[in-house]
């Protein structure tokens, strides 16, 4: 199983990862301005990066990856959003459409600072490609199976932690709102027809259809259609992420239909017991 992931020799030692973590700590610390509102969003992405690193490692061990492969997982988890800090410092937003593509910016930062100089060219290049693809709507299917394998694992881990961040946020947002998390969207009562249709057609929500905070919450609901590995689906079920988002949406017929559609998809896939959903 997963034999297709082994076309690149992954020569990574635990010491490499320890050193990369030190670089990451110092890099994040360099954004500390003493301004507490600004710092809150730097800390948000610092915590998210570390959590994605943990999530991807756990997913990797659940699907039986070897030690060196798990170390690669840690590296891509830790650095996948390294562009977020500079993005926020320069534009005060996490909305790529209003600023820069944070994945590409992250790759530029890693290259400029020669952060991955301890690795051979082929491995460095693989890591850059995985990071640059992690936020794309559609993956470049002409890519190598190794690259697509790790990109899919990273995207699963990233979503798992974003669900943690947003569900914690939604349950407290009436008292502590953060425009950066909500991407500065208006808080209207409706949901957009196109968003409803995307989800009912079992498609991930097209970001161009998002007009308000409810749509944004539904975008995260529709991510269930873009999950690649069985342990990720099990975590979505066990952590009750869908139920938590449902609880912060108005109780309309459309919302009920959406959750019924997405939950049946989730339970269908879990019942199929498919380990590698995209195969
Ligand atoms: Fe992320």
């Amino acid at each position: 199983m997963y034999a297709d992931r082994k076309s690149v020799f992954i020569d990574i030692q635990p010491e490499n990862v320890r050193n990369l973590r030190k670089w990451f700590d110092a890099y994040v610390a360099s954004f500390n301005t003493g301004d507490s509102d600004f710092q809150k969003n730097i800390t948000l992405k610092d915590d998210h990066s570390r959590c994605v690193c943990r999530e991807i490692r756990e997913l990797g061990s659940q699907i039986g990856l070897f030690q060196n492969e798990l170390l690669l997982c840690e590296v891509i988890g830790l650095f996948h959003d390294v562009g977020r800090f500079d993005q926020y410092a320069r534009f005060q937003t996490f909305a790529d459409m209003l600023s820069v593509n944070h994945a590409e910016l992250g790759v530029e930062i890693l290259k400029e600072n020669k952060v991955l100089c301890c690795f051979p060219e082929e491995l460095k290049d693989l890591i850059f490609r995985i990071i640059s693809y992690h936020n794309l709507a559609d993956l470049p299917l002409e890519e190598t199976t190794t690259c697509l394998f790790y990109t899919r694992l990273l995207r699963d881990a990233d979503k798992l932690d974003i669900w943690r961040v947003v569900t914690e946020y939604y349950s407290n947002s009436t008292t502590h709102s953060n425009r950066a998390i909500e991407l500065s969207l208006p808080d209207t009562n409706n949901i957009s027809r196109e968003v409803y249709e995307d989800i009912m057609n079992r498609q991930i929500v097209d970001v161009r259809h998002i007009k308000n905070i409810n749509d944004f919450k539904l975008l995260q609901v529709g991510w269930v259609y873009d999950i690649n590995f069985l342990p990720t689906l099990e975590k979505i079920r066990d952590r009750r992420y869908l139920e938590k988002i449902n609880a912060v949406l108005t109780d309309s017929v459309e919302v009920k239909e959406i959750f019924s559609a997405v939950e049946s998809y989730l339970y269908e896939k879990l019942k199929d017991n498919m380990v590698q959903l995209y195969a």
Side-chain angles (χ1 to χ4, degrees):
M1 197 188 299
Y2 304 130
D4 58 358
R5 73 183 191 264
K6 292 181 182 167
S7 64
V8 175
F9 178 60
I10 298 164
D11 182 14
I12 304 185
Q13 304 303 320
E15 195 196 342
N16 297 134
V17 177
R18 275 197 295 277
N19 290 335
L20 293 174
R21 281 182 181 277
K22 278 185 207 154
W23 182 87
F24 184 83
D25 292 346
Y27 180 71
V28 174
S30 74
F31 287 88
N32 192 344
T33 60
D35 175 308
S36 66
D37 272 349
F38 177 82
Q39 192 57 39
K40 181 174 71 180
N41 284 319
I42 296 297
T43 304
L44 182 87
K45 291 298 173 187
D46 185 16
D47 292 345
H48 168 67
S49 303
R50 292 169 202 281
C51 290
V52 171
C53 192
R54 247 196 323 272
E55 293 280 12
I56 192 171
R57 202 189 148 94
E58 195 178 305
L59 289 175
S61 31
Q62 286 179 293
I63 60 170
L65 300 193
F66 296 119
Q67 179 62 13
N68 61 330
E69 297 171 318
L70 294 175
L71 292 171
L72 172 59
C73 287
E74 283 189 55
V75 173
I76 57 178
L78 187 67
F79 287 136
H80 81 284
D81 268 355
V82 73
R84 286 297 196 189
F85 307 100
D86 194 42
Q87 177 188 42
Y88 194 70
R90 281 160 58 194
F91 303 99
Q92 291 79 54
T93 181
F94 293 129
D96 286 14
M97 283 199 293
L98 304 176
S99 56
V100 284
N101 178 331
H102 75 278
E104 281 170 16
L105 177 60
V107 170
E108 270 171 45
I109 289 163
L110 294 175
K111 285 182 179 171
E112 267 166 29
N113 292 280
K114 299 189 171 40
V115 179
L116 304 181
C117 60
C118 53
F119 297 142
E121 281 307 314
E122 197 188 6
L123 180 57
K124 261 196 296 203
D125 193 53
L126 173 66
I127 296 170
F128 294 146
R129 276 152 43 226
I130 296 167
I131 293 176
S132 71
Y133 302 149
H134 89 269
N135 62 339
L136 294 182
D138 299 300
L139 294 184
L141 295 177
E142 71 284 1
E143 255 297 354
T144 64
T145 48
T146 304
C147 179
L148 291 173
F149 173 83
Y150 286 102
T151 305
R152 287 177 167 127
L153 200 58
L154 175 60
R155 287 162 68 96
D156 274 23
D158 195 17
K159 288 185 177 68
L160 278 177
D161 193 62
I162 299 174
W163 274 312
R164 174 192 64 82
V165 171
V166 295
T167 52
E168 283 173 9
Y169 172 73
Y170 295 146
S171 61
N172 296 309
S173 62
T174 43
T175 46
H176 301 91
S177 84
N178 182 343
R179 302 294 287 150
I181 292 182
E182 297 170 349
L183 303 181
S184 305
L185 290 161
D187 191 7
T188 53
N189 248 335
N190 61 313
I191 61 174
S192 300
R193 190 72 204 168
E194 290 159 310
V195 170
Y196 168 83
E197 281 168 4
D198 285 342
I199 297 192
M200 295 310 286
N201 291 327
R202 291 197 165 183
Q203 283 166 4
I204 54 165
V205 173
D206 186 326
V207 285
R208 289 167 300 189
H209 296 160
I210 295 171
K211 307 281 185 316
N212 57 53
I213 294 178
N214 287 340
D215 295 344
F216 181 60
K217 290 173 181 166
L218 290 171
L219 163 83
Q220 292 141 13
V221 170
W223 281 346
V224 171
Y225 299 141
D226 193 24
I227 292 301
N228 302 291
F229 295 91
L230 180 68
T232 317
L233 292 178
E234 291 169 341
K235 288 176 203 296
I236 296 168
R237 177 196 59 201
D238 297 346
R239 297 176 189 177
R240 304 179 60 78
Y241 285 142
L242 295 178
E243 291 87 339
K244 287 176 185 173
I245 301 179
N246 195 354
V248 292
L249 278 161
T250 41
D251 208 8
S252 68
V253 175
E254 283 171 317
V255 168
K256 277 200 181 80
E257 283 173 9
I258 284 175
F259 279 91
S260 150
V262 173
E263 276 161 16
S264 356
Y265 175 87
L266 174 69
Y267 284 95
E268 253 170 55
K269 292 293 168 193
L270 282 165
K271 205 163 131 233
D272 289 350
N273 208 21
M274 289 164 69
V275 176
Q276 197 172 10
L277 296 167
Y278 63 84

